[in-house]
Amino acid sequence: MTWRTAAAVDDAVEATRRFLFPFHPVRWGILAFLLFAMATGVSAGVWTFVAADVFLTELVGSAGIGGASVTAAALRLAGGAAADRLSLAVAVVAGGTAVALSVASLTLRLVFYDALETSDVRLFGPFFGRFRQAIGLFVAVVTLRGVAIGATALAAVVGVVSATPIRWAPIGSLAGATEALPVESVVVAWALAGLAVLGASLALRLTYEFVVPTMVAEDIGVLAGWERVVHAVFTEWRESVAYLVVHSFVGLGSTLVGAVVVAILGMSVAAAGGVALLLVAALLGGLEALVGTTVGLVVGGLVTLAAVVALLLLTVPVAVLTRTYVITYEVAALGGIDPSVQLLDVGSETAAIDGGEYETDAEEKAARRE
């Protein structure tokens, strides 16, 4: 028996080579931005809200007004105190910013898969074209994360809050109702919460790795993408299990290779920077002149800055290469599980990127989309 998800490892190598090479700095720069936004966008939205909460708590606390924060505003919408109005205003702004960052990150995720399909790496056109899909994707992601967080919070309420007086009526009532619960009920609650978190985590992974490329390949919404993917995954459940196993090795191997290459580059840059500093010290009259004079400190700072920039310029392409390969494997494996969803054209001829020409099949897909 031929495992298609295992064979996708080789297909991903070829597809990655055709997608990334020949090297073009602008193209790689856009891809680096897309990958960075994909990895940090949703987290940036969450941390925006958390930072607003901390900022507001400190601001109001320093003004001598207690009990105001973004979290407090979510629980206490009524009231006319200045602190409440300020909390609510900051909560709205922070929440809106968090949502905007998250939706933008998901849109850029769709843009990356769009580029993978067409080999045409662009930002603005695909961004506006995929924005509607990203809104539905955002709702799905928030729902799944809400299931995981809600299940954990409910288990915590059942296990802890029953012994703690809570002023907020809904939780206080629930605490009173759970005071007499036996230990077995608490254990069951945590077990169910664990299953809910595991299920939501697997569903999120399925959404990012399979549903998103399906949405791009078939130009459909998140619900239709989910229906398509779930049917394929359950129909080809053996291939799906094999995918999870192979993906773990692909991810681990890419991480190790990237770490080794970055370590080698880091040591090389550090060695070059050290040699440069020694030469500067020799010209200035010694190490004491390097660290004890204004000229020495300025030159040392410039050398350090140049080393950091050089390290970034050398390591970012490594991250683009390794992360693109992992994503390309996921897409190739999806084509093995559901052959009707083909985002990659591994067997097609590739023309020179610098000349503005791309794969023939990709050009046809782009023309149909326009």
Side-chain angles (χ1 to χ4, degrees):
M1 177 180 179
T2 301
W3 294 100
R4 296 187 298 274
T5 50
V9 173
D10 294 330
D11 294 338
V13 172
E14 178 64 15
T16 302
R17 182 187 68 81
R18 297 190 177 195
F19 182 59
L20 294 180
F21 298 99
F23 176 82
H24 193 281
V26 175
R27 182 183 178 90
W28 279 59
I30 296 175
L31 291 174
F33 169 73
L34 290 175
L35 291 171
F36 177 79
M38 290 166 55
T40 61
V42 176
S43 299
V46 174
W47 283 109
T48 297
F49 193 84
V50 173
D53 185 87
V54 174
F55 169 76
L56 183 60
T57 302
E58 293 296 326
L59 177 65
V60 174
S62 63
I65 308 174
S69 67
V70 175
T71 305
L75 300 178
R76 188 180 64 251
L77 298 179
D84 290 337
R85 292 197 298 270
L86 179 60
S87 298
L88 183 57
V90 174
V92 171
V93 174
T97 304
V99 169
L101 290 174
S102 299
V103 173
S105 171
L106 294 172
T107 307
L108 292 173
R109 180 179 293 271
L110 292 165
V111 169
F112 182 89
Y113 284 97
D114 189 284
L116 195 63
E117 180 187 30
T118 63
S119 288
D120 187 9
V121 180
R122 296 179 298 147
L123 281 178
F124 297 106
F127 184 91
F128 292 110
R130 299 291 179 183
F131 188 77
R132 180 178 297 180
Q133 288 177 307
I135 294 176
L137 184 60
F138 171 76
V139 174
V141 169
V142 169
T143 301
L144 292 174
R145 291 184 183 275
V147 169
I149 296 173
T152 305
L154 184 59
V157 168
V158 173
V160 178
V161 175
S162 59
T164 306
I166 301 296
R167 294 182 180 180
W168 194 42
I171 296 183
S173 301
L174 180 59
T178 57
E179 283 183 354
L181 287 178
V183 176
E184 293 80 2
S185 299
V186 177
V187 174
V188 170
W190 276 106
L192 293 177
L195 290 175
V197 172
L198 178 62
S201 300
L202 288 174
L204 276 171
R205 181 174 175 181
L206 195 66
T207 300
Y208 286 138
E209 297 177 9
F210 283 176
V211 175
V212 171
T214 300
M215 292 169 63
V216 172
E218 302 298 317
D219 200 17
I220 56 179
V222 65
L223 293 180
W226 253 101
E227 182 180 0
R228 184 79 169 264
V229 168
V230 169
H231 178 267
V233 166
F234 278 97
T235 301
E236 298 288 343
W237 64 270
R238 292 182 180 85
E239 290 285 355
S240 301
V241 173
Y243 164 78
L244 293 176
V245 175
V246 176
H247 188 283
S248 63
F249 287 102
V250 170
L252 179 61
S254 299
T255 301
L256 290 177
V257 170
V260 170
V261 173
V262 169
I264 293 174
L265 292 174
M267 289 186 292
S268 301
V269 171
V275 171
L277 289 176
L278 288 177
L279 292 176
V280 172
L283 293 175
L284 293 177
L287 293 177
E288 294 183 357
L290 179 64
V291 299
T293 62
T294 303
V295 175
L297 291 176
V298 171
V299 174
L302 291 176
V303 171
T304 302
L305 178 61
V308 171
V309 172
L311 185 61
L312 286 176
L313 292 177
L314 291 173
T315 57
V316 167
V318 176
V320 171
L321 180 61
T322 54
R323 184 58 190 149
T324 298
Y325 172 72
V326 173
I327 295 176
T328 305
Y329 167 73
E330 296 166 358
V331 173
L334 173 61
I337 295 174
D338 186 358
S340 63
V341 179
Q342 294 293 337
L343 201 70
L344 303 175
D345 298 304
V346 179
S348 60
E349 295 293 332
T350 304
I353 292 176
D354 290 334
E357 297 179 356
Y358 301 96
E359 295 179 1
T360 302
D361 293 341
E363 287 181 341
E364 292 178 358
K365 292 178 180 179
R368 287 198 304 268
R369 183 165 299 161
E370 292 177 358

